[in-house]
């Protein structure tokens, strides 16, 4: 079995605490036509460099029933900046248009097969995976990006078209796994394309 969720597979469920003090599960987003689940964090330069583009994409498609859910699965032991407290501070300061969840056990990251931050998963109304991979082709320096694969996938799907590029490799820092070196990745975690 592939490490990362494959196209057509269903979104794994989760119940995780959010920075707004509530807990969220997949069912809480049942009203979304399209659900974008993305693995992110507080410190990664690829996340920090592309957060505003992700915000613009989330806001652009919000009125078409697209919802975004950010999940931070990074080990706080490896990256103290990825603590829940810093997540709360960041959301209070930046007011991103998504719920921001903490996956302290890393079980959700494993269920989805998250490779990097950011790593996007786009699910249709039936919660089947229709796109996974990167947001931008240059998330660290978003002003130099030439392709927004996430936005392309959303716009094609919402227009009733086939997604031209449903699979890309996520670009970013690897997920920081508990008890592992900062750069460690599971042996079965490989490039998607």
């Amino acid at each position: 079995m592939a490490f990362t969720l494959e196209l057509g597979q269903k979104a794994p469920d989760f119940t995780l605490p959010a920075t707004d003090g509530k807990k969220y599960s997949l069912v809480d987003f049942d009203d979304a036509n399209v659900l974008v689940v993305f693995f992110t964090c507080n410190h990664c330069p690829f996340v920090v460099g592309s957060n505003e583009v992700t915000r613009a994409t989330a806001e652009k498609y919000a009125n078409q029933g697209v919802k975004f859910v950010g999940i931070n699965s990074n080990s706080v032991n490896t990256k103290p900046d990825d603590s829940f407290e810093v997540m709360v501070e960041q959301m209070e300061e930046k007011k991103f248009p998504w719920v921001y969840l903490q996956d302290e056990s890393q079980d959700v990251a494993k269920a989805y097969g998250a490779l990097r931050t950011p790593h996007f998963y786009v699910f249709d109304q039936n919660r089947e995976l229709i796109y996974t991979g990167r947001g931008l082709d240059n998330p660290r320096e978003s002003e130099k990006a030439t392709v927004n694969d996430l936005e392309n996938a959303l716009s094609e799907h919402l227009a009733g078209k086939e997604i031209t590029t449903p699979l890309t490799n996520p670009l970013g820092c690897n997920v920081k796994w508990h008890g592992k070196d900062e750069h460690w990745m599971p042996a079965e975690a490989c490039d998607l394309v």
Side-chain angles (χ1 to χ4, degrees):
M1 189 182 123
F3 178 76
T4 301
L5 211 59
E6 296 182 293
L7 293 169
Q9 287 188 294
K10 290 271 194 187
D13 200 4
F14 52 79
T15 302
L16 296 171
T19 54
D20 63 7
K22 300 178 192 162
K23 280 194 168 184
Y24 290 87
S25 299
L26 210 49
V27 68
D28 292 311
F29 306 98
D30 275 358
D31 59 339
N33 295 329
V34 176
L35 186 64
V36 180
V37 175
F38 66 109
F39 290 83
T40 184
C41 64
N42 303 327
H43 82 279
C44 167
F46 295 86
V47 169
V48 174
S50 59
N51 265 338
E52 289 306 320
V53 177
T54 305
R55 179 202 299 273
T57 303
E59 289 172 347
K60 179 176 179 178
Y61 294 104
N63 64 357
Q64 293 183 63
V66 178
K67 289 200 171 166
F68 278 63
V69 176
I71 300 177
N72 180 0
S73 300
N74 276 357
S75 172
V76 178
N77 300 329
T78 312
K79 284 288 176 194
D81 284 354
D82 281 326
S83 71
F84 191 72
E85 293 70 30
V86 177
M87 289 170 63
V88 170
E89 285 167 21
Q90 196 175 72
M91 287 301 274
E92 282 173 357
E93 182 194 336
K94 305 280 190 189
K95 302 195 174 9
F96 290 123
W98 49 76
V99 295
Y100 194 12
L101 310 177
Q102 185 186 39
D103 172 29
E104 196 173 6
S105 70
Q106 302 189 319
D107 290 344
V108 180
K110 288 174 190 154
Y112 280 75
L115 297 171
R116 302 190 175 277
T117 54
H119 187 168
F120 294 89
Y121 296 79
V122 179
F123 298 95
D124 65 12
Q125 205 153 15
N126 302 319
R127 296 301 172 255
E128 288 173 3
L129 187 65
I130 55 171
Y131 172 81
T132 187
R134 67 191 190 187
L136 301 173
D137 63 346
N138 191 345
R140 193 174 187 142
E141 299 171 285
S142 58
E143 68 284 356
K144 294 181 182 173
T146 57
V147 181
N148 187 332
D149 288 287
L150 175 63
E151 190 160 308
N152 290 345
L154 288 170
S155 109
E156 287 176 342
H157 176 70
L158 292 165
K161 297 176 182 166
E162 197 76 18
I163 294 174
T164 312
T165 310
L167 200 58
T168 58
N169 285 319
L171 299 174
C173 305
N174 58 297
V175 172
K176 308 303 178 206
W177 299 98
H178 293 314
K180 302 290 184 186
D181 174 78
E182 190 175 327
H183 302 290
W184 181 86
M185 287 184 89
E188 64 277 23
C190 57
D191 283 354
L192 304 181
V193 287

